[in-house]
Amino acid sequence: MRFSSFTYLVGQGLHNLRANRLMTFASMGVLTVCMLLIGAAYLLGVNISAMVEYMGDQNLTIVYMSPDASEEQIAAADAAIRSTEHVVGVTYLSPEEVLQYYDAQMENIDLAAAFSDDVPFYPNYRVVMDSPDNIEAAAGQLRQIEGVDDVRVPTDMIEIFVSLQRAINYACYAVVAVLAIVSIVVINNTIRITVFNRRKEIGIMKLVGATNGFIRFPFFVEGVASGLISAALASGIICGAYYALCRWYAEHPSNLSQMFGGQLVPLTDVWYYIAGGFALLGFVLCGIGTATSIRKHLNV
C-alpha cells in the first residue's frame, strides 16, 4: 500500500468517527465501563494479595532459650540465629521484657505485680523470615543451635495465609476473565450494529471495484481509534480515582488499616499495567472486532 493511500484511508477512518458519532459514543461508552470494571477488579486483587502477603510476613517464629543458658551461650546463640539463612529480623526479649510485653496486652490484669518475684517466662528471640515458604527450613537450623530449648513455628497460620492468597488470586483472575468475555460480547454486538447500518456504503464500494482490504482498513482505523480513546478515558478515570483513594487511605489511618500494612499498593507500581492492559484490550476488541464484523457484508 502506498503512503498516500495509507494516509487517505486513515483520514477516512477518523472522519467516520465524527460522521457516526452516536454509534461511536455508544461503543466507546460500553467499552469504557467494561474497562473500569476490569480495572477495579484488578486493583482489588492486587491490594488484597499485598495485604495477605504483608500479614503472612508478620508471622513470628519464636526461639525459646533454655532457662539455664549462660550469658555466653545466649551471646553465641544470638550470633548463630542472626547468621541463619532466610532470617531477616531478630529481636531478643529477656524474661523481664517478655513479662512487660504480655502485661501491656492485658488491660484488667497486672501481670507485672503478680510475677514480680518469680518471672516464669523463658528468654526468647522473635525471628522474622524473608518468606513464609522458608520458615520450616530455617526453623530446622534454629533447633540445632546450642542453648535453644524450643522453636515455635506458626505452621497453621502460614498455610492459612498461603491458601487465602492463592484463592484471592484465582478469584480475581476469574472476575477479570468474566468481565473480559462480557466486554467482547457487548462490544462485538455494538460493532455489528454499526457495520450493519453502513452495509449499503460497503456494498457500493465493493461494486465500484474496491478491494476487501481497502474497505476494511478505514473500519479498522475507526475501531482502533475508538478503542484507544476508550482506553485513555478508562485509564484516566481509574488512575485518578485510585490516586484519590490512596491519599484518603493514608490520611485516615485506623487500627484495621495498620494491621494490613497501613497503605495501599502505590499507583506508581500499577499504572503502567492498567494503561497498557486497557490499550491492548481496546485494540483487540475494537480493531480486530471491526475488521472481522464486516466480513459477510463484503460478499456482494
Side-chain angles (χ1 to χ4, degrees):
M1 180 185 296
R2 292 180 300 179
F3 181 74
S4 59
S5 298
F6 175 80
T7 55
Y8 168 76
L9 293 176
V10 170
Q12 285 296 109
L14 297 178
H15 170 74
N16 290 339
L17 283 175
R18 298 189 299 271
N20 301 279
R21 289 186 294 271
L22 183 59
M23 294 307 300
T24 297
F25 289 153
S27 60
M28 287 173 55
V30 172
L31 183 56
T32 300
V33 171
C34 291
M35 286 182 178
L36 290 175
L37 294 175
I38 292 174
Y42 167 73
L43 290 174
L44 177 63
V46 167
N47 279 282
I48 291 179
S49 180
M51 290 177 183
V52 171
E53 184 176 353
Y54 173 83
M55 293 177 65
D57 291 341
Q58 304 312 301
N59 286 313
L60 295 176
T61 297
I62 310 298
V63 179
Y64 293 96
M65 300 299 298
S66 171
D68 301 327
S70 63
E71 292 185 2
E72 291 77 11
Q73 286 180 316
I74 291 179
D78 185 285
I81 291 171
R82 294 180 187 277
S83 62
T84 300
E85 188 178 7
H86 304 302
V87 171
V88 296
V90 178
T91 302
Y92 173 73
L93 294 180
S94 66
E96 292 75 18
E97 290 172 328
V98 175
L99 176 60
Q100 293 175 7
Y101 173 80
Y102 285 115
D103 183 59
Q105 308 300 314
M106 302 291 184
E107 296 182 356
N108 301 320
I109 301 177
D110 190 354
L111 290 181
F115 297 106
S116 59
D117 297 329
D118 184 18
V119 179
F121 300 107
Y122 289 10
N124 64 69
Y125 287 90
R126 296 176 177 248
V127 179
V128 179
M129 307 297 180
D130 56 1
S131 171
D133 298 331
N134 299 323
I135 290 182
E136 284 291 350
Q141 301 178 47
L142 295 174
R143 292 188 178 97
Q144 306 302 319
I145 297 174
E146 183 179 1
V148 172
D149 182 73
D150 190 20
V151 177
R152 299 288 178 87
V153 181
T155 305
D156 294 338
M157 189 69 69
I158 294 169
E159 292 178 354
I160 291 173
F161 282 127
V162 172
S163 299
L164 181 60
Q165 186 174 18
R166 187 181 299 115
I168 290 172
N169 287 337
Y170 288 156
C172 289
Y173 293 152
V175 170
V176 171
V178 169
L179 289 174
I181 293 173
V182 171
S183 301
I184 292 173
V185 172
V186 173
I187 294 300
N188 191 53
N189 288 336
T190 305
I191 292 172
R192 287 183 182 277
I193 294 173
T194 303
V195 173
F196 180 78
N197 289 336
R198 297 163 63 184
R199 65 191 184 280
K200 292 183 180 180
E201 175 186 343
I202 296 172
I204 293 172
M205 294 176 65
K206 185 69 175 178
L207 290 175
V208 299
T211 63
N212 290 345
F214 188 89
I215 297 172
R216 278 197 179 102
F217 198 77
F219 285 94
F220 180 77
V221 171
E222 181 182 352
V224 168
S226 63
L228 294 180
I229 292 172
S230 299
L233 289 173
S235 298
I237 294 172
I238 201 76
C239 289
Y242 186 66
Y243 175 76
L245 178 62
C246 288
R247 291 198 59 178
W248 179 88
Y249 193 80
E251 293 171 358
H252 297 80
S254 64
N255 293 335
L256 182 62
S257 65
Q258 293 299 320
M259 184 179 70
F260 289 122
Q263 64 178 2
L264 298 174
V265 175
L267 178 62
T268 53
D269 292 349
V270 295
W271 73 266
Y272 41 87
Y273 291 113
I274 296 172
F278 285 174
L280 179 62
L281 188 64
F283 180 87
V284 171
L285 291 182
C286 289
I288 298 179
T290 301
T292 56
S293 295
I294 68 172
R295 183 179 301 166
K296 69 177 183 178
H297 298 294
L298 295 175
N299 300 321
V300 178

